[in-house]
Amino acid sequence: MEQRSNPAPKLSDVFRAQVGLLMEKPWGKSSFFYGIILLQGVLSASAGVFIGFSIEFEAGEDAIYSMPQVTDLGLEPGPAAIFVTFLLMVVWATAWPGRVWRGGTAGSTDYFESLPVSWSAHQLVRLSAGGLVLSALCLLLLTVTTVTAALFGHGAPLAEFPLSAWLCYLTGPLLTYLFLSAFPMRGRRVWSYLGIAIGLSILSWSLLNFAGVGDPVNRIARQLLVGEVGFITALADPILRTNLAFSWPARPWMPALLLWSALAAATVAWTSTRGRRQT
Amino acid sequence: MMDGFLQSLEGSPLAVRTTGLSKSFGAKKALRGLDLAVPEGSVYVLVGPNGAGKTTSLRILLDLVKADSGTSEVLGGATGSEGAWVRAQIGYVPDIHDFGYPELAVGSFLRHHRSYFPAWDETYALRLLSEFDISTEDTFGTLSKGQARRVQLVQAMAHRPPLLLLDEPTDGLDPLARDHLLGLLADHLAGTPTTVLLSTHLVHEVEGLGDHLGVLRGGRLVAQLPRTTLHLGLHHLRATIPEGWQSPPRLLEAAIVCQTQKRDISWTVWGDSEELQAQLSASGADLRHWEALNLEAATRAFLSMKER
């Protein structure tokens, strides 16, 4: 028999294939997913602009509880929109490894490892492709938020953000994604390569901090934590919950925030769980 | 020649060669010194019961699993150090057909897959899909097991690899689907020079396809030989013996399986058939039946023989 030899693929082709796979529309031919992403951008921007944590309500005869206000957090409505968007991006980044690695099932692992690329190069290409698509989605979200905030007349503070600060908004989700990718890749040879990727990311982050652009981001992260803890504590208290349900004044941002939460939850569910076979 | 039915097949160029492959998963030994030799251009049927080590052998060839000891080569390339090149030469159909993307359309999947194989023949892929009656619009989640198997076969064959590794390709298929799939595989082999290493525990399903047989039992190869040699050397015979009959020594040596029912004895023997027939007649036994074995009967005999 004449001996033939088939060529191996170029890594650039593999990278494109991986990006293509991640950009494949889920749920068949529907563009519903992209609609949801854009809607989330608009809603998070609206929630940020209109966010009205200026709530005071009576929990008893002598007690008045107050939720943190946007201004209490040191944010104007424009930056607050970015603040909410940042939260959404971190949620996406948390769920994204599930989409990239598809849960590491026996079938998908076997399939990807049987392809004609060196195992470590393939893992790095998949990691990079996932990072690129996530950054593109985050950029899309930031753009929608910024445009929405500007349309409501709150674009001026955003114009003062330095470019490096915008960069931080992208590296934050990217870092989250890189760290969490270690879990589906756990126990494999990728640890050494992931270590390099994480090391480089931390180095970049430190350089940005050193340049003085990390402070606003760190401040936002701290404020985010304080605001979230306060909100969760209120929800955990039955008396406060009752008061919230009956006393919270209806505000324009409430439906948007609730819808945003539902959409974020749907995104997490979609990316972190595998679809079930229909037959 | 290591033994009559355990041949090294060193005389012909080999597409796959393993030497002393061993692999354990915890306390379970999956492979114990496997010396596999698959000649180029052959259809090598690797058979054995569940858990015999068939899938592990194939996975080592793809470098999906690292062997504890031993070496393995595919088309002259070491499966470990030259894994990427080796995998470019292989079309692989795994025993699992769910690869984790139920929402993906068949067409999208094949577009993704072809990026990894520069030799991909798109016209051939579309023709195969059409013959398998699979639409590119179908999503994996809606495919039956048989349909998913066909898509796997398309992805394995459309880049016309020099070597096809098929792990239980007919498992779970109805008889019609199985015949269709094997028919298309035979057509592919007629049009594209390919070596096939096919693992199965359902030998009768690939009876017409295989020209070499390897039998695995407990992680060890107990038989490996070309089909022609098998037909010449392995026979089943049945005879009625007189009272006080003594078996000729040559027959005792040649018998790998022996069953007795009163005065009827049947043997599965390995050796020169004319010599054995003559010795049996000379011993006073009345030879009733003598036949060459097909792959399935041969497999059954090799699996039930005592270890030598």
Side-chain angles (χ1 to χ4, degrees):
Chain A
M1 187 182 81
E2 185 192 343
Q3 185 60 59
R4 290 170 292 120
S5 175
N6 280 358
K10 294 177 190 164
L11 278 185
S12 53
D13 291 337
V14 174
F15 183 80
R16 270 196 292 274
Q18 282 299 319
V19 171
L21 191 62
L22 289 169
M23 296 297 285
E24 275 296 333
K25 284 175 277 189
W27 306 319
K29 290 176 280 186
S30 167
S31 295
F32 186 55
F33 173 68
Y34 295 109
I36 282 188
I37 287 181
L38 290 174
L39 194 59
Q40 283 183 52
V42 172
L43 287 174
S44 63
S46 308
V49 170
F50 291 112
I51 203 156
F53 284 162
S54 53
I55 309 158
E56 288 186 358
F57 51 89
E58 294 183 8
E61 287 185 2
D62 302 321
I64 295 177
Y65 288 85
S66 175
M67 295 295 290
Q69 298 177 23
V70 168
T71 47
D72 292 340
L73 299 176
L75 292 171
E76 296 302 318
I82 299 292
F83 169 88
V84 175
T85 296
F86 185 71
L87 170 64
L88 180 58
M89 290 196 302
V90 171
V91 171
W92 279 9
T94 304
W96 193 242
R99 173 72 178 165
V100 175
W101 305 104
R102 297 314 292 258
T105 61
S108 73
T109 305
D110 252 22
Y111 171 69
F112 282 106
E113 292 190 4
S114 69
L115 293 170
V117 189
S118 92
W119 193 86
S120 48
H122 205 188
Q123 293 291 72
L124 270 185
V125 165
R126 293 180 75 185
L127 191 68
S128 311
L132 179 80
V133 176
L134 176 67
S135 298
L137 290 174
C138 288
L139 193 62
L140 177 68
L141 194 63
L142 272 178
T143 306
V144 172
T145 303
T146 308
V147 169
T148 310
L151 286 176
F152 284 111
H154 297 291
L158 300 183
E160 293 170 11
F161 277 27
L163 180 64
S164 47
W166 289 109
L167 198 61
C168 284
Y169 286 120
L170 293 179
T171 54
L174 197 58
L175 265 176
T176 308
Y177 157 73
L178 285 176
F179 273 110
L180 293 177
S181 286
F183 290 98
M185 298 156 86
R186 198 162 60 99
R188 302 283 185 167
R189 287 165 286 183
V190 80
W191 271 112
S192 50
Y193 297 96
L194 190 65
I196 294 169
I198 290 172
L200 286 175
S201 306
I202 290 174
L203 184 65
S204 312
W205 180 263
S206 303
L207 285 174
L208 288 171
N209 262 317
F210 185 72
V213 296
D215 279 353
V217 179
N218 290 339
R219 189 157 51 89
I220 286 173
R222 280 198 300 275
Q223 290 162 343
L224 176 70
L225 185 67
V226 170
E228 286 300 291
V229 169
F231 192 65
I232 290 167
T233 307
L235 286 181
D237 185 320
I239 298 172
L240 293 184
R241 198 163 54 240
T242 308
N243 283 332
L244 278 170
F246 292 102
S247 310
W248 237 6
R251 288 173 185 269
W253 57 268
M254 266 297 281
L257 189 64
L258 288 174
L259 195 51
W260 173 88
S261 304
L263 290 172
T267 307
V268 171
W270 168 68
T271 50
S272 58
T273 58
R274 295 176 57 230
R276 283 195 298 177
R277 285 181 64 80
Q278 294 170 24
T279 57
Chain B
M1 182 133 154
M2 294 154 67
D3 199 338
F5 40 83
L6 195 54
Q7 302 186 354
S8 63
L9 304 172
E10 289 290 346
S12 47
L14 297 178
V16 175
R17 180 210 301 266
T18 71
T19 311
L21 272 191
S22 293
K23 177 69 189 174
S24 296
F25 296 102
K28 181 177 166 44
K29 286 188 189 297
L31 292 178
R32 305 161 189 248
L34 180 68
D35 295 321
L36 199 64
V38 180
E40 276 182 21
S42 66
V43 178
Y44 187 113
V45 181
L46 184 64
V47 299
N50 291 327
K54 304 185 297 291
T55 297
T56 303
S57 308
L58 299 193
R59 287 168 63 81
I60 287 175
L61 295 178
L62 287 154
D63 199 29
L64 300 180
V65 169
K66 295 279 182 202
D68 297 335
S69 61
T71 60
S72 53
E73 284 180 11
V74 168
L75 301 164
T79 57
S81 57
E82 298 169 83
W85 179 85
V86 163
R87 288 191 292 275
Q89 315 312 314
I90 294 176
Y92 174 48
V93 174
D95 59 340
I96 305 168
H97 59 85
D98 171 15
F99 84 115
Y101 288 78
E103 79 285 354
L104 199 62
V106 170
S108 302
F109 167 67
L110 292 179
R111 261 197 309 282
H112 167 266
H113 190 75
R114 79 180 177 203
S115 307
Y116 287 83
F117 295 94
W120 185 264
D121 184 341
E122 182 68 8
T123 312
Y124 185 42
L126 292 175
R127 182 160 70 80
L128 285 172
L129 277 180
S130 162
E131 289 188 29
F132 278 140
D133 200 22
I134 306 277
S135 162
T136 52
E137 303 292 317
D138 292 342
T139 56
F140 269 88
T142 62
L143 296 181
S144 68
K145 189 173 183 179
Q147 288 172 315
R149 268 273 180 269
R150 291 174 210 180
V151 175
Q152 285 181 314
L153 207 62
V154 173
Q155 76 169 64
M157 296 197 305
H159 59 103
R160 299 186 188 276
L163 174 65
L164 278 173
L165 293 186
L166 312 177
D167 195 358
E168 308 277 2
T170 57
D171 189 29
L173 299 188
D174 63 69
L176 273 179
R178 181 193 64 212
D179 290 348
H180 193 202
L181 186 141
L182 292 175
L184 278 169
L185 182 60
D187 287 347
H188 176 82
L189 298 180
T192 309
T194 311
T195 306
V196 180
L197 173 53
L198 185 156
S199 90
T200 184
H201 61 277
L202 304 167
V203 196
H204 66 280
E205 295 188 343
V206 294
E207 185 76 45
L209 209 59
D211 52 32
H212 281 70
L213 178 71
V215 182
L216 266 176
R217 188 174 68 184
R220 221 175 250 140
L221 207 53
V222 294
Q224 173 172 265
L225 67 177
R227 187 177 186 143
T228 47
T229 310
L230 182 84
H231 278 278
L232 285 173
L234 193 66
H235 293 87
H236 179 258
L237 61 92
R238 187 159 49 81
T240 305
I241 54 167
E243 201 161 334
W245 180 79
Q246 290 290 319
S247 173
R250 180 72 190 89
L251 182 63
L252 285 177
E253 287 171 18
I256 58 175
V257 179
C258 178
Q259 288 175 313
T260 309
Q261 191 173 21
K262 293 183 180 173
R263 292 209 173 162
D264 281 339
I265 305 185
S266 63
W267 297 269
T268 300
V269 293
W270 173 260
D272 185 326
S273 63
E274 288 184 3
E275 182 196 345
L276 286 170
Q277 283 187 58
Q279 286 203 4
L280 195 60
S281 298
S283 71
D286 180 13
L287 185 60
R288 296 291 182 91
H289 183 74
W290 184 279
E291 66 171 358
L293 299 189
N294 61 18
L295 289 188
E296 187 180 12
T299 301
R300 207 177 296 127
F302 286 130
L303 287 176
S304 53
M305 73 179 176
K306 289 178 181 163
E307 287 205 29
R308 295 196 160 194

